Amino acid sequence: MNGHADVRSIDELRAWLAAVSAYRSDAAETISSANMEIQRGHDWVAEQLALWQKAVRECEELVQQAKMELAARKMPNWDGKEPDTTIQERNLRRAKARLEHAEEKVRVCRSWVAKLPKAVEESYSGPSHRLSNFLDGDLANGLALLERQIEALEKYAGLRRDFASHTTLPASPKEPPK
């Protein structure tokens, strides 16, 4: 490197500074939004677990009720014959199937409650922390340095009479200003 910059327009540097500052702000906002969405995902899975656990309790009650109805129906009639229990048996099978379904959903939700934090950590947390650190550290420092350099260029341009009317710098030191 030759140790000097070929700056041709302070206005362009200001525009670039504004664009990079906007990028920094947008990126930080996006990280914050993503973090909120991830938290909503955690909350949703926890809510689903609670709902399915409640459904399991309700299904267990329905199974017990269906068993009692079947047992009551199986009592012999006054004539000694066993009554038809087809409907009660079908209701019991349905209640047991609903219970199994709810129990499976509880197992799935519990596995997601356990897996989700690890998956987020592995695929998102590391890169987002690095980006946040870059935005808050290196990029913030770079923006501050660029701001100081622009101010120094503006002071320099203000000292020279040929820059007093505009902030566009000549293409090279050998060319006269236009």
Side-chain angles (χ1 to χ4, degrees):
M1 294 197 55
N2 56 12
H4 69 276
D6 187 18
V7 176
R8 296 176 190 254
S9 171
I10 295 174
D11 291 337
E12 289 298 318
L13 283 176
R14 279 258 172 236
W16 187 58
L17 175 67
V20 174
S21 294
Y23 164 78
R24 179 177 177 241
S25 176
D26 290 348
E29 187 177 317
T30 300
I31 290 171
S32 178
S33 295
N35 289 338
M36 288 189 315
E37 287 299 318
I38 289 169
Q39 185 57 49
R40 273 197 281 257
H42 285 289
D43 294 345
W44 183 83
V45 170
E47 288 171 13
Q48 294 303 303
L49 176 60
L51 289 173
W52 284 112
Q53 287 172 330
K54 180 181 176 190
V56 165
R57 289 188 298 275
E58 291 170 357
C59 288
E60 287 171 340
E61 291 173 12
L62 291 175
V63 167
Q64 289 298 8
Q65 183 181 353
K67 283 181 180 180
M68 289 189 305
E69 288 174 4
L70 178 61
R73 181 75 176 167
K74 279 189 174 182
M75 294 175 126
N77 284 344
W78 53 269
D79 60 358
K81 292 183 179 179
E82 276 196 29
D84 182 27
T85 59
T86 307
I87 293 174
Q88 289 75 21
E89 289 171 355
R90 185 188 67 204
N91 289 344
L92 179 59
R93 282 192 307 273
R94 286 181 178 172
K96 285 181 177 180
R98 286 187 197 117
L99 176 60
E100 288 175 13
H101 176 74
E103 288 171 338
E104 175 60 24
K105 293 296 184 177
V106 166
R107 282 190 291 278
V108 169
C109 288
R110 281 187 179 146
S111 84
W112 274 108
V113 165
K115 290 177 185 177
L116 189 57
K118 185 178 179 185
V120 168
E121 183 66 34
E122 288 175 355
S123 61
Y124 172 76
S125 294
S128 74
H129 288 306
R130 284 191 298 277
L131 180 56
S132 290
N133 290 340
F134 170 73
L135 295 173
D136 295 336
D138 293 344
L139 190 57
N141 293 338
L143 288 171
L145 175 63
L146 182 58
E147 178 70 32
R148 288 191 304 272
Q149 294 297 326
I150 290 172
E151 288 173 6
L153 284 171
E154 288 173 338
K155 285 179 186 175
Y156 173 74
L159 292 176
R160 295 194 45 195
R161 267 191 258 170
D162 53 346
F163 291 108
S165 62
H166 56 83
T167 58
T168 302
L169 301 177
S172 71
K174 294 179 184 178
E175 291 182 24
K178 297 177 182 174

